[in-house]
């Protein structure tokens, strides 16, 4: 067998299982960690040798919740993530994506979340958005000199705005017609066919009120009724894809509805679900106690009953979730590593778009 392309010597190796770190030497061939050894490994004339003494060596981190959708188009290396050991990022969270809607509509949507600057997003999209659908979008990402691997959700608000328009999509009196629901479903199917992870949505209107047009309205997906959610969730469940969302944390919490949707009770299989949740303890203190009680209850249920997200947001089944080398919905090849430590530079290979491959 040929010599290794890269050998990392004497680093404190963490394998991602939660086991204590061990001093090991790693051999990397064709972008894959091919051997982990306590002894020195074969070094060829072209082998790059990295001295990791005093540093940690660990699998690359997967950041499952980012809003890099616009930034990735102009700074695809995403060095602010890579330098911290992140080797896979997920775009398209919180019902937001840049796939279907116009640049002006997308900029308006993004400005409703976490003060993402409207004008900056608009300039980037007007200069770079050449696609109108998911297949062309993933091809555009593939063409970028990416730093980390990239995977993406399709945004519910993106789909809803494209079908209903921003005005109707943020009007609580408007119900999509059967034809409009069918279009939303077809757009979700197309996104899945293009390799996207699933659907991101949002039901929590807290701190999501801004926008250039129809100001002081929250994101379009917050106006959807559960009939619409169930219709789209059925597609995700049938295709084995993921729902990413945030429950309502006001006086009418809908956490129980998400648990019911993710459940396999009365259904052939569960819905893979990642919830980004918080609790406003001042506005509604009861929700805090509900969440504290619900978490251990969910943990005690059988694995085939629910699929939920860890508090950190990483996707997993309730048991056996921390197996090395994969995050639910994205199979992570063991080709990324990040030697790091005091004063230690981190390394990463060029990234790629990661299609969804559900184990």
């Amino acid at each position: 067998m040929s010599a290794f392309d890269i050998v990392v010597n004497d680093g404190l190796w963490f394998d991602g299982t939660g086991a204590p770190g061990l001093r090991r030497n790693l051999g990397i061939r064709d972008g894959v960690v091919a051997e982990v050894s306590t002894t020195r490994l074969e070094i060829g004339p072209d082998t790059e040798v990295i001295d990791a003494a005093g540093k940690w060596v660990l699998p690359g981190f997967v950041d499952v919740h980012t809003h890099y959708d616009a930034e990735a188009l102009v700074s695809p290396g995403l060095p602010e993530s890579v330098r911290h050991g992140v080797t896979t990022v997920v775009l398209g969270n919180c019902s937001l994506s840049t796939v279907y809607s116009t640049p002006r509509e997308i900029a308006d949507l993004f400005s409703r979340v976490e003060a993402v600057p409207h004008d900056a997003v608009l300039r980037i999209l007007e200069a770079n958005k050449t696609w109108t659908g998911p297949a062309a979008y993933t091809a555009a990402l593939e063409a970028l000199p990416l730093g980390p691997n990239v995977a993406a959700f399709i945004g519910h608000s993106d789909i809803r705005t494209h079908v209903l328009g921003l005005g109707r999509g943020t009007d609580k009196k408007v119900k999509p017609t059967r034809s409009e629901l069918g279009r939303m479903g077809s757009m979700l199917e197309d996104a899945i066919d293009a390799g996207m992870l699933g659907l991101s949505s949002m039901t929590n209107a807290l701190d999501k009120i801004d926008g250039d047009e129809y100001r002081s309205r929250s994101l379009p997906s917050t106006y959807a009724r559960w009939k619409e959610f169930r219709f789209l969730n059925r597609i995700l469940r049938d295709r084995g894809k993921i729902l990413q969302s945030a429950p309502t944390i006001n006086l009418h919490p809908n956490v129980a509805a998400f648990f019911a949707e993710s459940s396999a009770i009365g259904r052939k299989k569960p819905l893979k679900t990642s919830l980004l949740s918080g609790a406003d303890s001042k506005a509604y203190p009861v929700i805090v106690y509900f969440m504290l009680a619900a978490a251990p209850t969910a943990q005690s249920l059988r694995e085939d009953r629910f699929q939920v997200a860890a508090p950190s947001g990483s996707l997993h089944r309730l048991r056996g979730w921390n197996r090395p080398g994969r995050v639910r919905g994205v199979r992570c090849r063991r080709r990324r590593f990040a030697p790091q430590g005091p004063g230690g530079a981190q390394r990463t290979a060029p990234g790629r778009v990661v299609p969804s491959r559900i184990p």
Side-chain angles (χ1 to χ4, degrees):
M1 185 174 290
S2 61
F4 297 106
D5 301 321
I6 302 173
V7 168
V8 183
N9 284 328
D10 298 323
L12 190 61
W13 165 242
F14 294 88
D15 64 6
T17 66
L22 300 170
R23 192 167 303 282
R24 293 290 186 266
N25 304 304
L26 277 68
I28 299 167
R29 185 183 295 113
D30 297 328
V32 176
V33 176
E35 186 171 348
V36 179
S37 175
T38 58
T39 60
R40 293 289 181 173
L41 298 173
E42 178 184 359
I43 296 175
D46 298 321
T47 300
E48 179 183 0
V49 180
I50 299 172
D51 180 9
K55 301 177 177 65
W56 292 2
V57 182
L58 60 159
F61 296 116
V62 179
D63 190 342
V64 300
H65 194 103
T66 78
H67 291 291
Y68 283 152
D69 304 71
E71 183 177 345
L73 303 177
V74 293
S75 182
L78 298 175
E80 65 272 39
S81 283
V82 172
R83 68 171 174 258
H84 292 296
V86 174
T87 55
T88 299
V89 300
V90 178
L91 312 180
N93 290 283
C94 291
S95 84
L96 303 174
S97 59
T98 62
V99 177
Y100 286 113
S101 301
T102 67
R104 186 164 295 279
E105 290 169 334
I106 294 168
D108 191 277
L109 294 175
F110 271 80
S111 70
R112 297 170 194 263
V113 177
E114 299 175 5
V116 176
H118 174 279
D119 292 345
V121 174
L122 181 60
R123 285 195 302 271
I124 290 171
L125 291 176
E126 286 182 335
N128 295 278
K129 189 175 188 295
T130 58
W131 57 87
T132 56
Y137 171 68
T138 56
L141 289 180
E142 286 278 15
L144 295 173
L146 297 169
N149 294 320
V150 173
F153 288 102
I154 187 68
H156 189 180
S157 288
D158 185 11
I159 289 176
R160 212 166 196 268
T161 298
H162 187 72
V163 173
L164 300 178
L166 191 56
R168 293 183 66 227
T170 55
D171 187 340
K172 62 182 179 181
K173 297 179 181 179
V174 172
K175 296 181 181 180
T177 65
R178 178 176 295 184
S179 174
E180 288 169 335
L181 274 179
R183 284 185 62 197
M184 292 185 197
S186 295
M187 292 162 71
L188 175 56
E189 293 272 13
D190 289 344
I192 292 171
D193 290 340
M196 301 186 81
L197 297 174
L199 179 74
S200 74
S201 192
M202 171 68 70
T203 66
N204 177 23
L206 185 67
D207 292 333
K208 311 296 180 187
I209 300 175
D210 195 353
D212 188 36
E213 298 182 62
Y214 308 100
R215 189 171 177 81
S216 295
R217 297 187 188 180
S218 54
L219 290 168
S221 68
T222 65
Y223 294 87
R225 292 168 171 81
W226 275 97
K227 177 181 179 181
E228 182 176 327
F229 287 123
R230 285 193 294 268
F231 173 73
L232 297 174
N233 288 347
R234 191 178 306 120
I235 295 173
L236 296 174
R237 184 180 288 107
D238 290 344
R239 298 290 299 270
K241 300 302 178 180
I242 304 166
L243 170 68
Q244 184 276 322
S245 192
T248 302
I249 57 175
N250 59 15
L251 294 177
H252 303 284
N254 58 3
V255 177
F258 278 104
F259 272 95
E261 280 293 294
S262 67
S263 170
I265 299 173
R267 300 181 176 94
K268 293 182 179 180
K269 55 184 177 180
L271 172 64
K272 297 178 175 69
T273 304
S274 170
L275 294 184
L276 176 67
S277 58
D280 187 343
S281 58
K282 291 185 178 180
Y284 192 59
V286 176
I287 191 64
V288 178
Y289 297 101
F290 172 81
M291 294 173 71
L292 289 173
T297 300
Q299 292 287 355
S300 67
L301 295 172
R302 290 174 52 193
E303 180 179 355
D304 61 351
R305 291 294 186 183
F306 286 95
Q307 289 185 350
V308 298
S312 64
S314 58
L315 301 171
H316 65 281
R317 284 183 180 268
L318 288 175
R319 291 185 294 180
W321 64 271
N322 59 344
R323 300 168 190 163
R326 68 178 181 180
V327 169
R328 185 64 55 188
V330 183
R331 188 178 295 278
C332 302
R333 298 182 181 179
R334 296 177 186 172
R335 60 187 291 252
R336 304 284 184 229
F337 62 97
Q340 62 179 16
Q346 298 178 338
R347 305 177 55 83
T348 184
R352 60 190 177 88
V353 177
V354 181
S356 171
R357 291 190 291 275
I358 305 298

